[in-house]
Amino acid sequence: MDIKTNKVSDGIEMIVSGRLDTNTAPELELALKQLEPAKQILHLDLSGIEYVSSAGLRVILLAHKIMLPTGGKMVLRNPSEFCRQVLGATGMDEILTIE
């Protein structure tokens, strides 16, 4: 898995690619916990995700929870087709903001 973090005008963009599974989810979790949420938007770009497991879904929800208490927000950007299917099957597409 590869994670790239960039500052953007309204917050932070994280571009995640590869497999988001039991082995790699802790890496994304660590990167998320190092963010300073403040009142900004976390753009989580999942266009390069080839596979996401339940461990990966847990970390995506964690990102959402990290941003909320400070008035921030998380937006999933361009989830891959596989991600869209998993988000839809789990009902997470009803909870999260997806662009």
Side-chain angles (χ1 to χ4, degrees):
M1 181 177 63
D2 186 42
I3 304 169
K4 293 182 180 144
T5 304
N6 305 307
K7 282 267 193 195
V8 292
S9 62
D10 60 352
I12 299 167
E13 175 185 54
M14 278 187 139
I15 303 168
V16 185
S17 58
R19 293 176 59 90
L20 185 50
D21 57 24
T22 305
N23 296 321
T24 59
E27 184 181 342
L28 180 56
E29 183 173 348
L30 180 62
L32 289 166
K33 287 183 175 178
Q34 292 175 349
L35 294 178
E36 296 177 26
K39 287 188 176 181
Q40 59 186 351
I41 298 174
L42 169 62
H43 302 274
L44 193 57
D45 187 318
L46 302 177
S47 59
I49 292 293
E50 301 160 3
Y51 174 80
V52 62
S53 72
S54 59
L57 292 175
R58 183 189 64 77
V59 175
I60 292 170
L61 280 176
L62 173 67
H64 177 68
K65 289 179 181 179
I66 286 172
M67 299 306 289
L68 287 179
T70 60
K73 172 181 169 178
M74 181 194 70
V75 175
L76 294 181
R77 277 193 168 163
N78 307 315
S80 66
E81 184 58 34
F82 184 84
C83 276
R84 281 193 185 277
Q85 290 175 0
V86 172
L87 293 168
T90 59
M92 286 178 61
D93 61 344
E94 303 277 331
I95 299 167
L96 303 173
T97 303
I98 302 174
E99 294 180 345

